[in-house]
Amino acid sequence: MEFGTMDIAAIRSGLAAKEFSAREVAEQSLARIDAVDGTVNAFLEVTPEAALAKADEVDAAIAAGAFDELGPLAGVPVAFKDNMNLAGTHTACASHMLENYVSPYTATCVQRAIDAGALPLGKLNMDEFAFGSTTESSAFGTTKNPWDTSRVPGGSSGGSAAAVAAGMATVTLGSDTGGSIRQPGSFCGVVAVKPTYGVVSRYGVVAFGSSLDQVGPFARSVHDAALALNAISGRDERDCTSQDVTIDFTRGLDAGVSGMKIGIVPEFMDAAGLTSEVKHAIEGAAEKLREMGAEIVEVELPHVRAAISAYYVIAPCEAFSNLSRFDSVRYGFCDPGHKSLAGQYEASRAKGFGPEARRRIMLGSYLLSAGVYDKYYYPAQQVRTLITQDYERAYETVDCILAPVAPQTAFAFGQISDPATMYATDLYTISINIAGNGGMSVPVGLGEDSQMPVGAQLIAPAFHDMNMLRVAAALEEAYGTARVAPDFADVKAGA
Amino acid sequence: MTEHVTEKDVRDIAEYCRIGLADSEIPQMTADLNAIIDELAPITEYDLTGVEPTFHPIGDLSNVMREDVEGQSFTQEEALSNAPAQQDGSFLIPSILGGGEA
Amino acid sequence: MKKIEEVLKDWEPVIGLEVHCELTKLETKMFCGCKLEFGAAPNTHTCPVCLGLPGALPVPNKAAIESIVLAGLATNCDIEKHTMFYRKGYMYPDMAKNFQTTQGPKAFCMRGHLDLDVDEKNINERYGVAELAPGETFENVTRTEDGYTAKVGITRIHMEEDAGKMIHVGGAEGRIEGATHSLVDYNRAGTPLIELVTEPDLRSPEEARLFMEKLRQIFLALNISDCSMEEGSIRADGNISLRRRGTDQLGTKTELKNINSFKSLHDGLLYEICRQAEVLEEGGVIYQETRHWDASKKRTIVMRTKETADDYRMFPDPDLAPYDLSDEFIERVRAKLPELPDQKVKRFQETWSLSAYDARHLVEHRVTANFFEACMETADAKLAKPLANLIINDLAAMANDGLDLSASPLSPARAVELVGLLASDAISSKQGKQVLAAVLDEDKDPAQIVEEKGMKQVSDTGALEAVIDKVLADNPDKVAAYKGGKTGLLGFFVGQCMKATRGQGNPKLINQMLAQKLNG
Ligand SMILES: [Mg+2]
Ligand SMILES: [Zn+2]
């Protein structure tokens, strides 16, 4: 059996029927990581003890006849982005700064997944501190796109997307500040959900842009993603911005789209830089939805043009502040041998942070400085209001918006190196973080030119994440569930 | 490209951020920052008179508090478990005022 | 340097205070559930939040918000309903996140004030007030019967968190200068802290000292802090500048830090006034700098010169929800307001017909106020004034020197007994002091001490008359001199009579009788 390639329902029924044990699931998943990850490099740390211990717990519950009491992720192999704390494991954020940092506590989303029965396989690669769209800025080597290992997996949650696409885990968690779940989801051809800000607790997830960050799942089916969301969502008293969400995200997934109104945004579809293969794929998805009974209407989002600018003000400012705690005093990289604290500070932060982290910290520091705050920071937060209102107005007409995730499919390593150009590729995802709405990527086939996966982005009103999941389920019906990448589909691990 | 920040500004910012950039890194960092700041122009192009800022997304959240009840704390050992240097149960740091190092 | 009296003729001191007060009466820290405890082993009251671990998030302590609203209501502030927490960035090792969570332009409490009652003896430190008639008003000052009342504006009180503690090793006396390394303990990091900022309305070191005294009284009455200066739970920084009398332009100010007692605050400001005057009179320049009061050397020294304004990169903290305090919340807090010192002064005046001076000085310390009230539970109303005298003149000074009034041998009942003996002329005031000392020493009732020491005051006019007649008869030349106009000799006769009665004669009575005989 290749458990990493199975869906949650299959694992659950197999466990219930005692066809296999949770320990077998854990062992086989670990063996598959051994066999596959040398090529993909999705994992920064594998945690066999934790996975096996949890598996034994699940098996004990099953043996005690308590299977029904196990949570929605019982016996499911799950892995976490490297910015999520799990006590006793490294939380390095793919940075030299935290290379030797061992978490003394556990993030709420991680704890909830484990409490729901998940088998924790380990920590997944990412762009350093989530600054990037390709996972190339990881201090520990890049992750390869399982569909074509000469290409990037996207980022920053590249490891989370690739682990699911290569069949090493059934569900992974990632975080999305400007597209960091949806874009790698699109590049790796898996389902990737960034819920509404506040649906999942951020406690224990190393902060990048605190008002933008949101945790969400990767899976190979909409249903699996919804089950994972059920496990990790809801109010956490340790996070003031988490909300009392008690939705069953699997409800209504098979209701179809008949009678739904789905918006298309001309500003998105006509944007310069959108490749024709992605444009065609999204238009094709719109056509499929229309055939299934949805009404496709155009909606205007006049201020989204300014979203990238607003984001590159707000996100670096918050990042500058969030990353000031890495100072070589309590934890993290400490350059040895300095007689003065200033010397230790400056050397540790220069060597501990990679180039992109240093750039963003300095940009944020500049943007918050006296005088500059009023020129960029305050207006950016005002523009944020206008963008949020744009979406609210659109949702007076439509239930959900359909858009590209990224202008292109996964590109080759090193293809985009200039920061400003790289930032511009986030056009379609960024405004959703600015407004705090939910957004997700669902595979809609391969690009006609690149033969790489294309994701369609579905965007829902705040706390109506159900709308996008329902549309995604309909598209999944049309395109089929996400496949394990072809080169890895037939890899067999271990005995 | 507009010169929003000079190399001198960049040195000052680096110092403020406590990031010890080498002299050779200053020109590239200056160019990168200026290129990015150029891209921020759209922010300055709207008439924003009377528009309230959104510092917190999902705006109806307010007054989130906890009761004054003791929770779990670390042991000293746990607190210091990642300390680069420690002494007598405390985090150890080099001289704050310099200790002779430039 | 010139004396302060000289300086004040030409210069007007402009003083503002920044007061930090830890809310030590709470159970837990501002943004996490770690216990508030002074003196625990280092880093044992820490968690991901107050150690600033990656991924940790703050959640505000509701009781802390109630405490600051209480403090605002007690200091006549407007409670600002819509506020936010901000991040104030500065990298310093005692600040775990390298930013302090504090409030922005709007604090929970804005635009308050306190009225200070300054005694007659300090009246000359406020220029021009001595010339006013009682009830007359001048700037923020009203002349009273026994001094003046100054209204001191409070700009704001905001909520923030304290930093950790550092021990500097390798230098002299634990000083940061010369230290080779430092040790950081985050037990104190995240302690709820309120910061009160005054308007620059204070005009003398005495006013600054009184402001701190009054604020401390209020915070103690509110039971929000132990206000211990030694443990640093209340700390004051003073901003001070001078301007020439008759001009409006503010001078450059210096900031006085490291003040760990009310006396240091007073003395440090006093020194700084004289120092600045000397610099200015010699044509020098005052630099905007932070200075440190060295109590042992009795001078201020420069800590750090501010070349540029600090840039804290402040912005609203995205991790903390904004506040929209409801009227209901504010009223619920208002209902918890205890009797405040000003109200207590008024009540003491009205209930026991005390002077404003007596009432104020009784209320100045909670122990003396409580002691007085305990005495008055059994004492006759006419003993209020002598009790006030005993407490203000004798006990307050002893309390300052470390006497624990609430646990001393002088119970309220014994104090009432002692004052009763004085009021009935059973003993003289001089004997009263001896009895008081003996009560504290021997833990006995005053009446018993009087009995044992045979201290009864002789108020028997017949017995006294015999003594007086003998003294006058023994000193005919002095009697003649007195009658010739040397009335100062009365004291001599009183002294002789007291000697003859071995100190037990009633001096008041002797005085009266002597005057009658000599003048009659
Ligand atoms: Mg402060
Ligand atoms: Zn704590």
Side-chain angles (χ1 to χ4, degrees), chain C residues 179-244:
Chain C
T180 53
H181 54 278
S182 302
L183 302 174
V184 197
D185 167 15
Y186 294 96
N187 281 348
R188 194 180 68 180
T191 296
L193 195 64
I194 60 177
E195 179 177 344
L196 180 149
V197 182
T198 76
E199 294 291 305
D201 286 347
L202 298 157
R203 291 290 175 271
S204 71
E206 174 63 10
E207 286 182 15
R209 193 192 65 78
L210 278 174
F211 185 91
M212 285 303 294
E213 287 277 11
K214 182 143 192 178
L215 196 64
R216 189 163 174 270
Q217 286 170 35
I218 292 172
F219 288 171
L220 286 170
L222 298 177
N223 199 32
I224 58 175
S225 175
D226 60 21
C227 293
S228 158
M229 275 201 131
E230 304 82 68
E231 291 177 7
S233 54
I234 190 163
R235 321 191 273 271
D237 299 338
N239 289 306
I240 173 151
S241 65
L242 296 188
R243 65 179 165 207
R244 278 218 178 263

Side-chain angles (χ1 to χ4, degrees), chain B residues 73, chain C residues 29 32-34 45-51 189:
Chain B
S73 291
Chain C
K29 294 187 179 181
C32 65
C34 288
H45 295 323
T46 59
C47 74
V49 179
C50 57
L51 276 183

Side-chain angles (χ1 to χ4, degrees), chain C residues 244-301:
Chain C
R244 278 218 178 263
R245 293 275 172 214
T247 61
D248 284 342
Q249 181 121 30
L250 287 171
T252 304
K253 66 182 179 191
T254 57
E255 192 178 5
L256 193 60
K257 287 211 167 175
N258 189 40
I259 297 167
N260 49 20
S261 71
F262 293 155
K263 185 168 159 37
S264 290
L265 176 67
H266 178 276
D267 295 353
L269 287 171
L270 195 94
Y271 177 89
E272 202 44 27
I273 291 169
C274 297
R275 186 193 69 85
Q276 286 192 14
E278 186 173 77
V279 170
L280 292 169
E281 284 173 7
E282 285 172 359
V285 179
I286 301 296
Y287 296 100
Q288 186 170 338
E289 59 196 8
T290 302
R291 300 181 71 92
H292 155 116
W293 171 243
D294 185 335
S296 60
K297 299 204 175 82
K298 299 213 178 305
R299 62 192 175 102
T300 64
I301 48 174

Side-chain angles (χ1 to χ4, degrees), chain A residues 438-464:
Chain A
M440 67 180 287
S441 177
V442 63
V444 289
L446 302 183
E448 59 208 11
D449 302 323
S450 65
Q451 292 301 302
M452 289 295 287
V454 181
Q457 186 177 204
L458 299 163
I459 312 163
F463 302 108
H464 288 76

Side-chain angles (χ1 to χ4, degrees), chain A residues 129-156:
Chain A
F129 284 106
F131 301 148
S133 314
T134 63
T135 313
E136 288 169 287
S137 70
S138 166
F140 309 116
T142 187
T143 296
K144 311 288 194 322
N145 190 316
W147 286 77
D148 176 349
T149 52
S150 71
R151 294 177 193 250
V152 301
S156 64

